Amino acid sequence: MGDEDPHADPDFAHLIPRDADVAVFIDHLDDGHAMGHKVLAAEHPRYGQQSMRSSLNRLTEAGHLRWIKEHITLADNTMRWVTRTYWSRTRRSPEWWANFARERDGKDVTDYRPGLARIEDPTPQPTPEATQDEPAPGEPSAAYRTLAGLRAADPRMPLSEADCRSLESLAVEWLSRGATPNDITRALTDGLPPNVTNPGGLARNRLEAKMPPQNSDASAAPAESRPLRGRITRVIMACATCDQDERTVKIDRGICEDCRKEDAENPMSDEDIAKGFEEIAHLGVTSAYFLKKKLERRTGGPVPDTFRSVPIEDRVFYHYRDNRDRIANGLPPRRWNW
């Protein structure tokens, strides 16, 4: 909500290293991203399905995640259920999440995609008068102030004064098309990579690529392209693991009793995690060792790198890293025919 913590290094310092790594990974996903543990494991370079499932459960219990089923009644009187995974960088209490779910009931919505959703910022939207970009003499425009404020919204986007001046006309165009300063901030900070080397260039690309349509009046768009507005008419908490909801099972801290019991019967300790990575490292090093020997046999022994198109150590390291990541995701090692 409005008290969401800004990005910082100790965001997830209260979590064990693996869960903190997964939390950072989720924090940088785009809104609407699928949140099943199989999908996330397929995209994460280090953790397999079981590891991802366990981490999602612990992040849920820690107060960062909740699976919520929302019943949507659309303007054309059709209805549908949508399961959204709400993410909070700030850890929240069970009471806070229960209140958040209650407040979702009755909300007007247009974007009802399933998948990842950030908790909403309840900052009041500016009135039409407030969005007019007409600053007092000598004062920076609303567009400039929005760009200059990105540094506070996300430290990875510290636009310089020159950047703000260069991008000001694009931000003014956004505001003239009905966008709010908060819309611009979200467009420029959502789903950022861990490291941004050129904030000004990234901001320009996003402002140009995500520019709102010239006519923001939805009634002017073709009927088939207009997003249907709807209203949330029922909200139900769901289990983070099995997708059962509170209509049939008891949900405690985001997880149902059956899944909590299953996790208790098959615990994974920090020692298990450390052992797993040791095994992965051993398999990767072993496969890289045999690859090196195979290459040397083909050439009659060690050959100086100056006679190779690619240094042998680079090829071995790439092979090791590739197999390490495949093994971590439950895939068999790749066989290389070099």
Side-chain angles (χ1 to χ4, degrees):
M1 304 297 279
D3 58 342
E4 178 82 335
D5 295 337
H7 286 284
D9 288 339
D11 278 343
F12 308 109
H14 56 284
L15 301 171
I16 63 173
R18 185 180 71 183
D19 296 349
D21 190 11
V22 173
V24 171
F25 176 74
I26 294 173
D27 200 35
H28 291 91
L29 294 176
D30 291 331
D31 287 350
H33 194 286
M35 287 297 292
H37 66 277
K38 294 181 180 180
V39 174
L40 296 182
E43 297 185 8
H44 198 287
R46 297 181 66 189
Y47 306 120
Q49 293 181 13
Q50 184 57 43
S51 297
M52 186 63 68
R53 182 179 185 270
S54 299
S55 286
L56 289 177
N57 283 353
R58 284 194 291 268
L59 289 173
T60 301
E61 292 196 88
H64 293 287
L65 278 171
R66 281 298 185 274
W67 271 253
I68 299 178
K69 290 185 177 180
E70 298 174 350
H71 186 262
I72 312 292
T73 300
L74 302 177
D76 61 359
N77 292 322
T78 59
M79 293 174 283
R80 66 189 64 186
W81 282 99
V82 172
T83 300
R84 307 200 77 180
T85 308
Y86 284 96
W87 167 256
S88 172
R89 191 181 314 118
T90 303
R91 61 191 307 190
R92 311 288 185 171
S93 68
E95 294 75 22
W96 187 96
W97 279 112
N99 185 61
F100 174 79
R102 284 195 299 270
E103 291 180 348
R104 294 292 301 163
D105 196 357
K107 279 191 176 292
D108 238 1
V109 293
T110 300
D111 181 4
Y112 42 83
R113 291 176 300 163
L116 180 65
R118 267 73 182 182
I119 55 175
E120 296 175 345
D121 184 350
T123 304
Q125 296 295 323
T127 62
E129 292 76 19
T131 60
Q132 296 303 312
D133 201 28
E134 298 177 0
E139 293 292 324
S141 68
Y144 183 93
R145 294 196 303 272
T146 301
L147 295 170
L150 286 178
R151 181 191 300 267
D154 194 312
R156 291 170 293 177
M157 291 295 287
L159 297 183
S160 66
E161 181 179 357
D163 288 333
C164 293
R165 293 297 180 197
S166 173
L167 299 171
E168 185 176 11
S169 60
L170 284 171
V172 168
E173 183 66 20
W174 271 65
L175 296 175
S176 72
R177 298 187 180 198
T180 67
N182 192 48
D183 292 334
I184 295 175
T185 298
R186 289 194 176 192
L188 297 182
T189 57
D190 279 355
L192 289 175
N195 297 303
V196 178
T197 57
N198 183 7
L202 187 148
R204 178 175 294 279
N205 289 339
R206 288 194 170 192
L207 286 172
E208 292 175 347
K210 298 184 177 184
M211 180 72 70
Q214 183 68 48
N215 189 341
S216 60
D217 182 3
S219 63
E224 63 273 13
S225 65
R226 292 202 303 266
L228 282 174
R229 295 199 63 82
R231 182 177 295 277
I232 299 175
T233 50
R234 191 177 181 186
V235 178
I236 298 173
M237 301 295 284
C239 175
T241 303
C242 67
D243 202 38
Q244 292 190 89
D245 59 60
E246 59 188 352
R247 292 173 295 183
T248 56
V249 297
K250 181 181 178 181
I251 306 291
D252 176 24
R253 288 169 291 160
I255 302 173
C256 75
E257 291 180 324
D258 292 341
C259 291
R260 191 176 298 281
K261 181 180 179 181
E262 180 181 342
D263 289 340
E265 293 174 349
N266 301 283
M268 182 175 286
S269 65
D270 291 350
E271 291 75 17
D272 294 329
I273 297 170
K275 182 179 178 181
F277 275 108
E278 288 172 2
E279 292 174 352
I280 291 169
H282 173 72
L283 288 170
V285 170
T286 301
S287 61
Y289 170 80
F290 284 114
L291 169 65
K292 183 175 181 179
K293 291 299 181 183
K294 179 179 180 180
L295 290 173
E296 290 179 348
R297 285 197 303 273
R298 284 189 174 184
T299 55
V303 175
D305 283 342
T306 53
F307 289 89
R308 298 181 182 277
S309 57
V310 178
I312 190 170
E313 293 299 333
D314 289 353
R315 299 172 76 177
V316 168
F317 174 74
Y318 180 81
H319 175 74
Y320 156 68
R321 185 184 61 187
D322 176 68
N323 271 345
R324 177 200 64 192
D325 295 342
R326 289 178 62 83
I327 295 166
N329 281 290
L331 299 173
R334 191 191 304 275
R335 295 185 178 276
W336 293 81
N337 296 314
W338 284 341

